[in-house]
Amino acid sequence: MNERLDYTKISPGGVKAFGSVYGYIMQSGLDEVLLDLVYLRVSQINGCAYCLDMHTGDLIKKGVKVEKLSLVQVWQEVGNLFSDRERAALAWAETVTRVAQTGVPDVEFEAASHIFDEKELADLTMAISLMNAYNRLAISFRRTPEAVLAAKY
Amino acid sequence: MEQRFDITQLIPEGYKAMYAVHTYVQGTGLDLGLLELVRLRVSQANGCGFCVAMHIPLARKYGLTEHQINLVATWKESPVFSARERAALAWADAVTALAGQEVPDTVYEQVKAEFNPEEIAKLTLCIGEINTWNRLMIASRTPPAL
């Protein structure tokens, strides 16, 4: 699975522009662990190796236990291991990511609105939408995960 | 169909940052008509009414014909697109759908035959950008400006 092209070198201006959106979200007030869990789940759905590697690493650095991380994909089946806010964010992340199939139905919106206020939900939606763009860039060009580089294959 | 929330009001700084991505894509040197063709197609695939309503008049403004605009949804079977446009549409479809969690080599070969690496990177930034807007507008149920 060789990298097709390095868009970060070819188009640094575009990467920087998306980076400003990322920077905005980081200072939006949303909890960083919550955001990284969302980024991880979106990247799982889309199948982004580079992003899974990055956000798993970030979550470990932030103190999330590997026992919890390994169950992000099946968060609905593990009781209260994930908090109410985490569960609501993950559900919203799933429906917004799979937009072509779901159309983001009212029932999902109502559930998310029950937990998050309007601004939080707008920020969360921006974060999910941004990660969908990042995933598409990395998947399209088969960006090499850091773990692969570190293993020096 | 009531609007759920308004990102321009709630998070103007976030909206501004996203708009800067749009400004970047507009300035890449890629043909603006081609960019609109891609945005229209991706918005159809994701089901964004706001975005389809916005990008049809823009496609017209940047030189797409009525036949082309009407047939974007069925581009594979429509003889009104150039090889370059077809390659861009195939790439936009594959990058948006991520079927099987990948963008297949066959589609990459098709886009490589029509675009240089720099153009492919910029085209993909455009596809990423419109995927972001589609999700924002659908999730917030922003109504088309008609």
Side-chain angles (χ1 to χ4, degrees):
Chain A
M1 293 293 280
N2 290 331
E3 191 162 278
R4 285 169 171 165
L5 57 81
D6 186 351
Y7 57 93
T8 64
K9 288 215 171 69
I10 290 178
S11 202
V15 173
K16 202 176 145 196
F18 271 119
S20 297
V21 182
Y22 185 84
Y24 163 77
I25 295 160
M26 288 302 285
Q27 58 78 58
S28 68
L30 282 177
D31 180 77
E32 284 186 25
V33 169
L34 182 87
L35 282 170
D36 265 322
L37 284 171
V38 162
Y39 292 152
L40 184 63
R41 184 69 194 114
V42 172
S43 303
Q44 286 175 342
I45 293 169
N46 289 326
C48 182
Y50 177 84
C51 318
L52 286 180
D53 178 68
M54 169 187 276
H55 297 293
T56 303
D58 285 351
L59 283 159
I60 289 171
K61 272 185 229 153
K62 285 168 189 160
V64 180
K65 290 202 169 73
V66 72
E67 289 81 357
K68 181 168 174 173
L69 277 181
S70 64
L71 294 170
V72 169
Q73 193 171 358
V74 290
W75 63 269
Q76 283 175 303
E77 297 177 49
V78 291
N80 295 325
L81 182 62
F82 294 89
S83 69
D84 285 350
R85 276 176 81 83
E86 288 169 345
R87 293 167 66 86
L90 289 166
W92 186 243
E94 290 183 355
T95 193
V96 173
T97 295
R98 296 184 171 125
V99 65
Q101 288 80 42
T102 67
V104 191
D106 284 338
V107 58
E108 299 285 359
F109 174 67
E110 279 151 25
S113 301
H114 190 66
I115 301 284
F116 295 104
D117 69 30
E118 266 198 324
K119 188 203 175 266
E120 287 175 330
L121 196 57
D123 282 330
L124 193 56
T125 309
M126 184 67 86
I128 296 162
S129 303
L130 173 71
M131 194 47 48
N132 269 280
Y134 274 144
N135 287 173
R136 280 172 171 76
L137 287 166
I139 294 168
S140 296
F141 300 123
R142 299 198 169 147
R143 189 168 183 188
T144 310
E146 294 295 333
V148 176
L149 296 176
K152 296 194 176 100
Y153 286 117
Chain B
M1 291 291 286
E2 211 172 292
Q3 183 163 7
R4 290 166 174 169
F5 55 90
D6 183 348
I7 61 156
T8 66
Q9 297 296 317
L10 287 167
I11 53 167
E13 293 304 313
Y15 175 78
K16 219 166 89 182
M18 245 333 279
Y19 199 82
V21 174
H22 174 75
T23 304
Y24 170 82
V25 172
Q26 290 302 90
T28 55
L30 284 176
D31 179 74
L32 296 178
L34 183 80
L35 294 179
E36 289 306 325
L37 180 66
V38 163
R39 290 185 180 120
L40 181 54
R41 176 63 191 140
V42 172
S43 300
Q44 288 173 341
N46 283 328
C48 183
F50 174 89
C51 313
V52 168
M54 167 182 265
H55 290 291
I56 284 177
L58 288 171
R60 199 173 284 134
K61 176 179 168 186
Y62 291 117
L64 271 76
T65 67
E66 286 304 303
H67 284 314
Q68 287 178 320
I69 290 168
N70 292 339
L71 293 173
V72 175
T74 53
W75 67 267
K76 283 185 193 176
E77 298 179 48
S78 305
V80 295
F81 300 103
S82 67
R84 191 171 158 89
E85 287 165 339
R86 295 177 70 83
L89 288 165
W91 185 247
D93 275 2
V95 172
T96 298
L98 296 178
Q101 298 191 322
E102 67 153 357
V103 180
D105 284 333
T106 48
V107 187
Y108 188 56
E109 292 304 322
Q110 189 182 351
V111 80
K112 262 204 313 189
E114 295 292 336
F115 293 87
N116 67 37
E118 197 178 330
E119 291 173 328
I120 297 172
K122 289 168 176 175
L123 185 63
T124 312
L125 284 163
C126 175
I127 298 165
E129 180 217 343
I130 192 63
N131 264 281
T132 306
W133 288 122
N134 288 169
R135 283 177 174 77
L136 287 167
M137 295 301 122
I138 294 169
S140 62
R141 200 160 273 173
T142 303
L146 299 171

